[in-house]
Amino acid sequence: MAPDSATPATPAPAASVDVPEKPTIDGLEEKWVERWAAEDTYAFDRDAALEAPREQIYSIDTPPPTASGSLHVGHVFSYTHTDFVARYQRMRGRHVYYPMGWDDNGLPTERRVQNYYGVRCDPALPYDPTFEPPAKPGKDQVPVSRRNFVELCMQLTEADEAEFEKLWRRVGLSVDWSNVYRTISERSRATAQKMFLGNLARGEAYAQEAPTLWDVSFRTAVAQAELEDRERPGAYHRVSFAGPSGPVVIETTRPELLPACVALVAHPDDERYQPLFGQTVRTPLFDVEVPVVAHRLAEKDKGSGIAMICTFGDLTDVIWWRELQLPTRAVIGWDGRFLAEPPAGVPAQPYDELAGKTSFSAQQRIVELLRESGDLLDDPRPITHPVKFYEKGDRPLEIVTTRQWYIRNGGRDGDLRDALVARGREIQWVPEHMRHRYENWVEGLNGDWLISRQRFFGVPFPVWYRLDAEGEPIHDEPILADEASLPVDPSSDVPPGFDESQRGVPGGFMADPDVMDTWATSSLSPQVASGWDTDPELFAAVFPMDLRPQAHDIIRTWLFSTVVRSHYEFGTVPWSHAAISGFVVDPDRKKMSKSKGNATTPIDVLERYGTDAVRWRAAGARPGADSPFDETQMKVGRRLAMKILNVGKFVLGLGASASSTVEQVTEPIDLGLLTALGRVVDEATAAMEAYNYTRALEVSETFFWSFCDDYVELVKSRAYGTGAAAASAQAALAVALEVQLRLFAPVLPFVTEEVWSWWQAGSVHRAAWPVASALPADGDPAVVTATAAALAGVRKAKSDAKVSMRADVATATVHAPAAQVPLIEAARADLVDAGRIATLSVQPGEGELTVEVVLAETPAE
RNA sequence: GGGCGCGUAGCUCAGCGGUAGAGCUCUCGCCUUACAAGCGAGCGGUCGCAGGUUCGAACCCUGUCGCGCCCA
């Protein structure tokens, strides 16, 4: 099927029309979801696609929803937007590759499994193949091995995914449900590990001991993309250091880090401190000698203009430490508490007063000590300031030096950064301005992408380390898994050349303990979905993909990381288009989310208004634009769906049938209607090509309502008759109905399929998208509009007189611009019938069209 | 503080250089045999504010205020 084929794909059987007595939109979902599944309406024909040229394929990198989460109306809207595109492309004759994935990997699933079964993962435990989770979660969580824990994750996510699929089918997504992937499946794990080994071999991934943002509750490292600033109360403490010629006063919000102080810093231009540069001062309480250094990031007008550098209080400390090559005096451990032993060179007294304390209580103690020693000047001055948090965490992040895996992303390399910005410019963004989000993010990166996480339910790094004679890991010589053995779990699988008895013993080996960040695996969704590792032929046909649909909040994470991986592995962008959907927001314009408690459950809305109505409302939200949730709008969609049902029934009852053809259309008003429809088809097509489904629907819908209210009213009495004039009306009605059903099919799949099934063969969703060239081009649409305007004049007179539209008119005199007179004359008989006019006169007049109406005497009854 | 977007009828939004548009709401009507979960008609806006460019600005430019998102 060529995308521009001029004729509908569906063979039209002669005049077999079967319209239900009382059509209804209720229950259409059950009927058609089942039928589409049974007939495999949306199947991707792999063999045909492999034969077809690339332009005949349309592939979509569908966002895998978090299966352990819950869906709200916002999700329904954005996935529906993608479905509009998928259905349109399918009707254009393309082989639409539209898989669905489930993101069942990561922390949300871990938490859900912990709560659901009442268990917790203890990686030190051995696997118990007979383990059964408690029937009900008990008060204390049962410790289980990592493998048992992962099995429970698998089990629960499978159940969650089945529920999701049911909902998506009811939403009408034209996904090929035989093509579903999971981000934690064996195949996904193998792909992720293979990609990682590739990155490692090419030097794009590396491990490094480095200061790392650390969530002390989850005890895991956190990447830049997962940070958020939150305003928190704090206080500036004025602390006095002993300088060569008198005290030097700094201000700090974290006095407890005094033992971690490695230098003081001021701006190079700051005349107040220039004499001190190169000198040393001594810290209060600990009496450690530290240098005074100059750096451009020190802020002259912040506090006293001079600050202490600690290892590490914030990210600026890390920059200073790195650029000024300062020593490390770490005091905070993985649990967020002060380490038992002071850093080298820091006296045990008074450090032992802090050991084991949290930052909070350490600060209290330090403040007391500083007060006693007289080194705290003034009372602490309360402020609010932004503090870094893990977006899913609730305690401020600490910076801890740990060994982590990174993928280079341009954060430390200008050339790479430029290359990735350039990749972004190869993508067509919908809407265009979303490109800025990408560029701003890439240009603002200040470190490589940290991909290791100290969690359990994720893809492990396929890496082991030899242990030396002391049992310490030799990190410099990692043992990598064989590609053929992937996926591996190094915590239960044994590296080549070793056996299990050597695990953890000196001279033996140990597993890399970490798993990959979820973005490190979900950034491979195009590879997983397209069969990079499992079906190279298919992959060659569908990759790079055509579309990545997603929301704007994860441009910095999912979109960017996917570009990075594709850039490395294939030297290309992963898709030609990125369509960014907006959010559904509540009446206060707040993003809908489950955690805020303002989310609307979709199933309820779908049941009350019908899927087509909800989809219609989703189509009203343009790409990228946030859209308020407003139930009153759903009613409008429902009304449209019902109107299509009713007008379909009526038109088919008037004698329109699938055997009607354009050639039978001879009357000027009928030709005018179809020519106008051709223009609508062109506009809707142009809009769909630009991913502007909102505009496409709008032009179709505007046409449709005037088709119902004006055109059908004008021609119905003629269509009731027989002969050539009646056949012309019947044929025009049939063609117009059939074309409009196809125009509406992507947005309203259920009601259009229903009406289509009354008189056409096959599925409307496998029919060709309409083309204007199949419609008469020589009609004059003004015949319809001028005649409709005249009819409106008659209606207004009846409305003003408060009589029925069925009231008889004795005389109607139309004064129309001269050019319109012949147009209205051409439809005279239709106007006379529709207006119930005894004597009609059409005259040229000044200005706009007006109608003088004399109503017939109402017979007294 | 920076970037991006948005401020048009009571609400949701089109329009983006040539005399203000749609739907919903509201008002007034109409049982009209496709549809009363319908149909017809009507009311309603100095296009956030202030300058500027232009014969002409909702639309272009500058500034300003307000809202939202992202990033510091």
Side-chain angles (χ1 to χ4, degrees):
Chain A
M1 183 194 332
D4 285 316
S5 82
T7 48
T10 311
S16 104
V17 173
D18 183 15
V19 183
E21 193 59 33
K22 191 78 187 164
T24 168
I25 61 174
D26 296 320
L28 292 185
E29 289 88 348
E30 286 74 10
K31 173 179 174 181
W32 288 109
V33 163
E34 193 184 316
R35 190 84 62 89
W36 292 332
E39 295 179 359
D40 232 355
T41 305
Y42 306 117
F44 173 74
D45 186 339
R46 180 182 175 281
D47 294 338
L50 292 185
E51 303 274 306
R54 180 62 182 85
E55 318 81 72
Q56 292 285 71
I57 297 173
Y58 193 89
S59 51
I60 303 172
D61 182 21
T62 320
T66 302
S68 55
S70 63
L71 292 177
H72 56 67
V73 177
H75 297 109
V76 169
F77 274 34
S78 57
Y79 280 81
T80 301
H81 295 159
T82 306
D83 190 56
F84 298 154
V85 175
R87 287 179 180 276
Y88 167 73
Q89 294 292 351
R90 195 177 291 112
M91 292 178 78
R92 292 284 285 177
R94 302 213 163 88
H95 299 283
V96 173
Y97 189 68
Y98 186 14
M100 178 63 73
W102 306 115
D103 188 13
D104 34 25
N105 175 359
L107 199 50
T109 300
E110 287 189 21
R111 281 182 178 170
R112 177 157 152 76
V113 165
Q114 283 169 357
N115 296 333
Y116 189 90
Y117 294 112
V119 298
R120 72 182 162 80
C121 180
D122 183 347
L125 291 175
Y127 176 61
D128 175 1
T130 64
F131 175 76
E132 288 290 330
K136 271 169 117 181
K139 221 161 71 187
D140 297 313
Q141 292 184 334
V142 182
V144 299
S145 75
R146 171 154 149 179
R147 188 164 158 197
N148 285 113
F149 188 76
V150 168
E151 279 179 4
L152 291 176
C153 289
M154 292 296 226
Q155 197 175 314
L156 188 58
T157 50
E158 263 172 45
D160 288 339
E161 285 158 14
E163 278 304 300
F164 271 45
E165 179 175 331
K166 231 166 83 184
L167 178 66
W168 283 144
R169 284 179 183 270
R170 195 185 199 289
V171 167
L173 299 189
S174 60
V175 161
D176 181 348
W177 288 106
S178 67
N179 186 359
V180 175
Y181 69 88
R182 312 172 73 198
T183 58
I184 197 62
S185 71
E186 193 149 301
R187 177 181 147 198
S188 297
R189 296 200 312 271
T191 297
Q193 292 183 336
K194 200 165 156 184
M195 281 276 167
F196 169 77
L197 290 174
N199 291 137
L200 194 58
R202 293 188 298 263
E204 296 147 3
Y206 62 93
Q208 192 178 52
E209 185 98 9
T212 307
L213 283 157
W214 187 265
D215 185 293
V216 299
S217 303
F218 292 115
R219 300 202 187 171
T220 183
V222 173
Q224 187 182 347
E226 296 168 303
L227 300 183
E228 63 184 38
D229 282 349
R230 295 182 199 161
E231 287 294 325
R232 284 292 180 274
Y236 270 125
H237 300 72
R238 283 167 58 80
V239 178
S240 172
F241 282 57
S245 49
V248 178
V249 178
I250 61 114
E251 295 199 21
T252 178
T253 57
R254 300 201 62 183
E256 71 277 17
L257 293 180
L258 201 53
C261 177
V262 292
L264 297 190
V265 65
H267 196 275
D269 299 339
D270 194 331
E271 291 172 7
R272 294 173 293 176
Y273 300 107
Q274 278 169 351
L276 282 172
F277 295 151
Q279 311 250 41
T280 60
V281 296
R282 304 193 79 84
T283 60
L285 302 181
F286 300 95
D287 197 38
V288 172
E289 184 172 20
V290 298
V292 180
V293 296
H295 193 277
R296 67 195 142 74
L297 288 181
E299 294 177 63
K300 286 161 83 170
D301 50 0
K302 192 167 163 189
S304 55
I306 188 163
M308 68 172 179
I309 301 175
C310 305
T311 53
F312 297 96
D314 60 25
L315 289 175
T316 318
D317 280 342
V318 177
I319 295 170
W320 283 327
W321 168 80
R322 185 179 291 136
E323 294 190 5
L324 300 169
Q325 302 190 324
L326 298 165
T328 306
R329 292 192 185 112
V331 293
I332 293 183
W334 289 17
D335 55 0
R337 290 173 183 273
F338 274 61
L339 297 169
E341 299 296 324
V346 175
Q349 270 292 344
Y351 182 86
D352 53 5
E353 299 225 27
L354 306 177
K357 282 190 157 63
T358 62
S359 292
F360 179 80
S361 40
Q363 181 177 111
Q364 288 183 319
R365 185 62 191 135
I366 278 274
V367 166
E368 284 169 17
L369 292 170
L370 286 169
R371 274 219 172 89
E372 288 164 16
S373 70
D375 293 311
L376 181 69
L377 313 177
D378 314 329
D379 280 329
R381 183 159 51 84
I383 53 157
T384 32
H385 61 154
V387 176
K388 298 227 175 297
F389 282 76
Y390 173 40
E391 59 189 354
K392 296 191 172 82
D394 47 18
R395 289 173 70 187
L397 294 176
E398 293 291 355
I399 296 171
V400 173
T401 297
T402 54
R403 191 172 180 284
Q404 303 286 342
W405 289 101
Y406 296 85
I407 289 180
R408 300 180 200 279
N409 67 355
R412 302 174 67 178
D413 174 350
D415 289 343
L416 177 56
R417 179 161 53 228
D418 293 346
L420 290 168
V421 168
R423 287 284 176 229
R425 294 193 178 142
E426 292 175 43
I427 298 168
Q428 293 260 328
W429 296 76
V430 184
E432 174 61 29
H433 65 79
M434 288 296 175
R435 174 194 310 283
H436 298 286
R437 295 280 183 94
Y438 176 90
E439 294 192 356
N440 290 348
W441 176 255
V442 178
E443 284 163 359
L445 286 169
N446 53 31
D448 281 331
W449 174 20
L450 191 161
I451 56 163
S452 42
R453 293 295 181 277
Q454 289 65 50
R455 305 302 307 168
F456 320 111
F457 189 51
V459 179
F461 288 89
V463 171
W464 300 263
Y465 306 101
R466 246 179 282 279
L467 299 178
D468 64 17
E470 277 75 53
E472 291 297 316
I474 306 168
H475 284 129
D476 294 346
E477 297 165 30
I479 307 167
L480 306 179
D482 283 337
E483 264 195 22
S485 66
L486 302 180
V488 298
D489 180 351
S491 69
S492 53
D493 295 322
V494 174
F498 289 85
D499 64 60
E500 185 61 37
S501 69
Q502 295 171 277
R503 186 184 295 275
V505 301
F509 71 93
M510 68 167 275
D512 186 293
D514 293 348
V515 298
M516 294 181 204
D517 167 25
T518 53
W519 300 115
T521 54
S522 60
S523 60
L524 303 172
S525 63
Q527 287 87 314
V528 171
S530 305
W532 173 70
D533 197 27
T534 50
D535 188 348
E537 264 189 300
L538 175 72
F539 184 75
V542 302
F543 184 91
M545 303 182 88
D546 291 274
L547 180 66
R548 156 61 72 85
Q550 63 162 79
H552 52 71
D553 56 338
I554 52 175
I555 290 173
R556 70 177 196 281
T557 48
W558 192 36
L559 194 149
F560 174 57
S561 60
T562 310
V563 170
V564 170
R565 306 305 288 278
S566 180
H567 172 76
Y568 280 140
E569 195 69 36
F570 311 109
T572 119
V573 286
W575 350 263
S576 56
H577 294 77
I580 309 297
S581 60
F583 294 137
V584 172
V585 295
D586 69 13
D588 297 329
R589 298 259 162 191
K590 296 282 179 239
K591 179 188 171 185
M592 193 175 271
S593 74
K594 195 187 170 198
S595 55
K596 285 205 187 80
N598 62 351
T600 305
T601 311
I603 192 67
D604 180 48
V605 183
L606 289 167
E607 275 169 7
R608 259 182 305 141
Y609 298 97
T611 296
D612 282 337
V614 176
R615 289 175 62 104
W616 176 89
R617 177 65 191 87
R622 321 183 71 147
D626 290 351
S627 187
F629 180 74
D630 179 0
E631 284 201 20
T632 65
Q633 298 292 321
M634 305 279 179
K635 292 186 203 153
V636 183
R638 187 177 170 86
R639 181 182 308 173
L640 174 65
M642 283 188 307
K643 193 74 174 179
I644 290 172
L645 217 50
N646 280 316
V647 83
K649 176 187 173 197
F650 184 55
V651 163
L652 295 175
L654 284 172
S657 77
S659 58
S660 305
T661 66
V662 171
E663 286 68 37
Q664 294 167 287
V665 179
T666 52
E667 292 291 312
I669 192 170
D670 303 335
L671 288 166
L673 178 90
L674 295 184
T675 297
L677 179 55
R679 293 177 191 172
V680 167
V681 166
D682 279 341
E683 258 195 89
T685 305
M688 288 306 292
E689 285 296 314
Y691 293 83
N692 192 345
Y693 45 79
T694 307
R695 173 74 188 149
L697 173 63
E698 188 191 357
V699 296
S700 303
E701 201 179 342
T702 303
F703 180 89
F704 175 73
W705 283 108
S706 98
F707 169 77
C708 291
D709 296 343
D710 298 330
Y711 178 78
V712 172
E713 290 299 326
L714 279 165
V715 305
K716 70 183 179 188
S717 71
R718 173 158 54 93
Y720 272 126
T722 51
S728 174
Q730 290 163 0
L733 288 167
V735 171
L737 176 65
E738 181 257 340
V739 168
Q740 289 180 94
L741 288 174
R742 287 187 279 152
L743 286 176
F744 283 126
V747 176
L748 309 171
F750 292 100
V751 74
T752 53
E753 185 77 315
E754 173 70 10
V755 175
W756 189 265
S757 74
W758 296 340
W759 61 311
Q760 301 281 353
S763 168
V764 69
H765 303 299
R766 282 287 178 182
W769 181 255
V771 288
S773 57
L775 294 165
D778 53 349
D780 185 352
V783 177
V784 186
T785 50
T787 310
L791 179 60
V794 175
R795 283 174 180 154
K796 178 167 164 51
K798 291 179 182 178
S799 189
D800 288 348
K802 303 190 178 186
V803 298
S804 159
M805 288 299 135
R806 219 170 46 156
D808 288 328
V809 170
T811 62
T813 310
V814 178
H815 299 275
Q820 289 182 15
V821 171
L823 306 179
I824 297 168
E825 286 293 356
R828 162 177 280 273
D830 289 340
L831 178 57
V832 162
D833 285 345
R836 302 176 74 96
I837 302 164
T839 306
L840 171 69
S841 162
V842 186
Q843 299 170 0
E846 296 297 312
E848 305 231 314
L849 183 147
T850 57
V851 188
E852 278 171 50
V853 173
V854 178
L855 292 169
E857 295 289 324
T858 319
E861 284 182 36

